[in-house]
Amino acid sequence: MLPMRPELLKGHLDALLLAVLEPGPQHGYAVIEALRSGSNGTLDLPTGTVYPALHRLERAGLIASDWQTVGGRRRRAYHLTSAGHAALGDQRAIWDQFSTAMTTVLTRRTWPATA
Amino acid sequence: MASHRINASVGVDRQHTAYLADLAARLHGPRRRREAILTELRDGLHHATEDRLADGLPPEQAATAAIAQFGTPQAVADAFAGELAAAYARRTIAWYIATGPFVGIWWLLLLHPSPWRTGLIAFVAAIPVIPLIAVAIATAGATLATTGRLMRWLPETGPHRALTAATAIAVLCLTGDLTMITVLGLSGTPLRSLAVIATAASLTRIACSITTIRHAARVVSSMRSR
């Protein structure tokens, strides 16, 4: 498998994080693991990238967090807000359009010769 | 066996604590935010270490591998620098918005125009810093909006620009407070209790503004050096 360059994810990280949180609340490390396992190891993002991105999404009101105490440790669990659900729907529609266009252009075929 | 487990746990905790202490020294921003980040990362490190233990690594190697996954303290601090700068800028701007009326009200009561002179020009003549206040309020509102929930619809203001905006608001308030104290001094108004309170409020804010400007400059320079 070709290595995934982090810059390729630029602009898509928000959508990925929202999608991971769609099924239910998760803490930061679980989000990182869900991205890794959900992509069969392709999206192995640096931890330092994911936590600040989650904080930024919370600042934008797309996700919210609650502090819980589990086994004597404080844990921060993130969940989607209603604005986050709406934003994820928008991001999916944009991605569908984008990926269809990219696939169409990148698929090997014979281009018509220009006169 | 139990004592081995306890010793291993102590060793793992020590590795986590040393890593987080190194990271804490490199984070700059509001104290509560920094504490929340460190608490959250401690929990994450614990999970990452548990995963490595489940894979069969011995405790100390598991902790080392978990720490390596998180990245060097400097790399993690760099990744959080923007969020912490944005948090500092937003908190500073919110402070100016919240405290502004408590300073302005005394000057308004002291220097308000005569009842028979109405209109904006009369107000500006009596309180010449009104245009500065208007610019500061507009800057504050725009920055809060574009670094918060409204950034879903408006172009997002980056941390660097948010800090610049917070600094600009501090400079405007500093200029406004100095101007008002100078106006009062030149007007020959007798030093009534109202004048003393207004001057004291402005002097307090001048001190806060100088602190803000110096702190924001330090955060900007630390962001540039990364």
Side-chain angles (χ1 to χ4, degrees):
Chain A
M1 187 186 296
L2 287 170
M4 179 72 74
R5 294 201 310 273
E7 61 267 28
L8 281 177
L9 286 177
K10 207 173 177 182
H12 305 299
L13 183 58
D14 288 0
L16 289 169
L17 296 176
L18 294 175
V20 165
L21 289 171
E22 191 180 27
Q26 304 222 48
H27 57 85
Y29 184 71
V31 170
I32 295 166
E33 284 302 302
L35 274 175
R36 184 182 299 139
S37 60
S39 64
N40 295 323
T42 307
L43 301 176
D44 192 4
L45 297 178
T47 307
T49 305
V50 175
Y51 281 102
L54 286 168
H55 290 203
R56 189 185 147 278
L57 285 176
E58 185 169 29
R59 185 155 54 85
L62 298 178
I63 63 175
S65 67
D66 299 305
W67 285 94
Q68 304 154 351
T69 303
V70 181
R73 279 195 322 278
R74 294 192 70 214
R75 174 177 297 170
R76 188 179 197 173
Y78 297 93
H79 62 269
L80 280 193
T81 60
S82 53
H85 280 286
L88 178 58
D90 293 345
Q91 294 276 350
R92 280 199 173 112
I94 291 167
W95 176 254
D96 283 344
Q97 199 178 359
F98 176 73
S99 62
T100 304
M102 286 293 287
T103 306
T104 307
V105 174
L106 290 178
T107 303
R108 284 175 189 278
R109 62 176 172 145
T110 309
W111 292 93
T114 50
Chain B
M1 181 70 186
S3 78
H4 279 308
R5 200 175 299 146
I6 290 165
N7 286 340
S9 171
V10 169
V12 166
D13 277 348
R14 197 178 295 138
Q15 279 178 277
H16 289 177
T17 302
Y19 174 80
L20 292 172
D22 193 350
L23 174 61
R26 296 164 198 267
L27 293 176
H28 303 285
R31 185 175 55 84
R32 281 188 184 176
R33 284 300 186 102
R34 285 185 282 128
E35 285 174 358
I37 288 168
L38 293 170
T39 304
E40 186 177 16
L41 290 184
R42 182 180 285 279
D43 181 56
L45 275 174
H46 182 87
H47 279 283
T49 305
E50 277 186 341
D51 281 357
R52 303 302 181 287
L53 286 171
D55 291 342
L57 281 183
E60 299 221 342
Q61 281 184 33
T64 304
I67 286 169
Q69 183 192 349
F70 270 60
T72 63
Q74 189 58 56
V76 177
D78 288 351
F80 273 108
E83 272 309 296
L84 284 169
Y88 175 74
R90 284 176 60 79
R91 192 193 67 174
T92 302
I93 291 169
W95 182 85
Y96 275 107
I97 290 173
T99 59
F102 293 104
V103 179
I105 189 71
W106 303 112
W107 290 111
L108 199 62
L109 290 170
L110 186 66
L111 299 173
H112 64 85
S114 308
W116 56 87
R117 290 181 66 202
T118 55
L120 189 62
I121 293 173
F123 248 108
V124 174
I127 304 171
V129 299
I130 281 179
L132 291 182
I133 295 168
V135 172
I137 290 171
T139 307
T143 309
L144 281 183
T146 53
T147 54
R149 291 177 179 228
L150 290 180
M151 72 187 190
R152 300 203 297 267
W153 298 285
L154 300 172
E156 182 179 348
T157 297
H160 197 275
R161 287 184 70 181
L163 265 181
T164 306
T167 308
I169 291 163
V171 170
L172 286 168
C173 288
L174 180 68
T175 310
D177 286 322
L178 287 172
T179 306
M180 291 311 298
I181 291 170
T182 307
V183 166
L184 180 68
L186 295 175
S187 69
T189 307
L191 217 56
R192 291 178 289 154
S193 56
L194 208 54
V196 172
I197 294 171
T199 306
S202 274
L203 286 173
T204 306
R205 194 166 63 178
I206 284 170
C208 293
S209 296
I210 291 170
T211 307
T212 299
I213 292 164
R214 290 173 64 177
H215 191 240
R218 268 205 307 272
V219 176
V220 167
S221 68
S222 76
M223 283 178 77
R224 277 187 184 147
S225 66
R226 290 175 197 273

